[in-house]
Amino acid sequence: MTPPPLDDTTAQQPAAAPVRPARPLSPAARHAVSLFPLLVLAGWAAFDRRAARDGVARLAGADPWWLLAGAGFTFLGSLAAACIRQGALPDRLPPGLLIASQFAAGAANHVLPAGLGAHAVTLRFLRRQGVPLARATASIALYSLVRAVAKTPVVLVFLLAAPHAVRPEALLPQGRALLMAVAGLLLGPAAAVLVLAAVPPLRRPALDAVRTALTDVRRLHTRPSRFLPLWGGAVAAPLIQAGVVASVGTALALPLSWAQLAFAYLAASTAAGAVPAPGGIGPLDAALVLTLAGYGAPLPLATTTVLGYRALTVWLPLLPGTLAMSAMVQREAL
């Protein structure tokens, strides 16, 4: 007995195209790219050697145990970023490679402004794991949005828990930073619309990314294994960075409480977020020094605290981050 013929609509349905990972680099290109992070590290060290030398000299008399605690908070920052990255994606990622990619992303983040380095490394990693481009870009957008939104309840908790230890007005950007923040809020969406209108080939990928993002957000928030690390990591991330500042300030015997030191970081990072600098270096440093001084900390100690914070969050993880990036390139994970 012969089987019945297939329905026309069934026969005409095309098979779903398999998702292919990003094309691996050639051996020569992979070798060159694996050396590039180390060259960037060497150039960074040559360019900023004076600040590094001054920071090490001033931190020589600090409490080493509190500095070690600050280094521990720095390591936890990469784990929190890995949790957010996994929570923003329905696909299951290998935990070890994911954490290593965030160390590499942290190193790249200090080279390009506004987190572009970290997002570029993460995007390449996700594509090498076979994640479709639309879903990978949607997860990066969700990562950025959740980190920005999650800081609000953290600030509110500080305001309610220690209303006399914090200064809410410190959260508002001042002067040029305020103008840049307003300009960014107004010009950013307008620039995106103009780019899509002027470059038609970008419209379809952009719409696909938006549709994928909306679909994935609904799916992720029905799975506790995704939305718990997504939001938990996003809430923990600013607290971890604040813990680094508080640890360095305590190591230097800064005359401020932990609540004041932590809120000083939250205020400074909020005010400096409108200025697109590599890793926040520059605007965040200046805002943090001014905020600590506004709480009554001596200016030399406030400056040393910021140097110590930079030593732990930039210089300390930069070498393992660049090594992780080179190793992942060699293993074709990037």
Side-chain angles (χ1 to χ4, degrees):
M1 182 176 181
T2 59
L6 295 175
D7 184 72
D8 291 339
T9 58
T10 304
Q12 294 175 1
Q13 287 181 352
V19 177
R20 297 181 180 180
R23 180 182 300 178
L25 299 173
S26 65
R30 187 167 66 248
H31 183 68
V33 172
S34 65
L35 291 178
F36 178 73
L38 301 179
L39 295 177
V40 171
L41 176 60
W44 189 289
F47 176 78
D48 206 24
R49 61 183 182 276
R50 182 176 179 180
R53 184 176 62 250
D54 292 346
V56 171
R58 294 185 181 186
L59 291 172
D63 187 334
W65 294 108
W66 278 114
L67 293 180
L68 183 62
F73 279 117
T74 300
F75 174 77
L76 290 177
S78 296
L79 297 184
C83 288
I84 306 172
R85 297 288 188 189
Q86 178 61 89
L89 198 67
D91 306 74
R92 176 70 174 173
L93 300 173
L97 285 178
L98 176 59
I99 295 173
S101 73
Q102 294 314 292
F103 276 103
N109 200 40
H110 299 300
V111 179
L112 297 177
L116 295 179
H119 293 331
V121 170
T122 301
L123 179 62
R124 177 68 183 180
F125 169 71
L126 295 179
R127 295 291 291 128
R128 291 296 298 142
Q129 295 300 312
V131 179
L133 179 60
R135 174 165 292 169
T137 53
S139 73
I140 290 174
L142 181 59
Y143 171 92
S144 301
L145 178 63
V146 167
R147 289 202 63 162
V149 171
K151 186 182 287 188
T152 301
V154 174
V155 172
L156 292 177
V157 168
F158 269 89
L159 291 174
L160 295 175
H164 302 294
V166 300
R167 294 165 47 241
E169 65 272 13
L171 286 172
L172 300 176
Q174 304 292 329
R176 190 188 309 175
L178 178 60
L179 293 177
M180 294 187 68
V182 174
L185 291 175
L186 296 178
L187 298 179
V193 172
L194 289 177
V195 169
L196 292 178
V199 187
L202 291 180
R203 297 174 191 170
R204 184 181 181 88
L207 292 176
D208 289 343
V210 171
R211 283 194 292 265
T212 303
L214 295 176
T215 302
D216 286 351
V217 165
R218 289 194 295 268
R219 290 179 57 192
L220 293 169
H221 285 81
T222 62
R223 301 170 60 183
S225 62
R226 291 295 181 268
F227 71 77
L228 288 179
L230 176 67
W231 289 101
V235 170
L239 292 175
I240 289 171
Q241 291 294 311
V244 179
V245 174
S247 297
V248 175
T250 305
L252 294 168
L254 207 64
L256 297 177
S257 66
W258 259 64
Q260 291 173 321
L261 289 167
F263 194 80
Y265 169 79
L266 295 174
S269 61
T270 302
V275 184
I281 294 175
L284 177 58
D285 295 346
L288 188 52
V289 169
L290 292 177
T291 306
L292 292 173
Y295 276 123
L299 189 57
L301 276 181
T303 304
T304 304
T305 300
V306 176
L307 288 174
Y309 168 75
R310 280 301 173 196
L312 292 180
T313 57
V314 176
W315 282 100
L316 182 64
L318 198 54
L319 179 58
T322 51
L323 293 177
M325 186 185 300
S326 297
M328 293 186 71
V329 170
Q330 288 291 342
R331 292 185 55 182
E332 299 184 2
L334 282 180

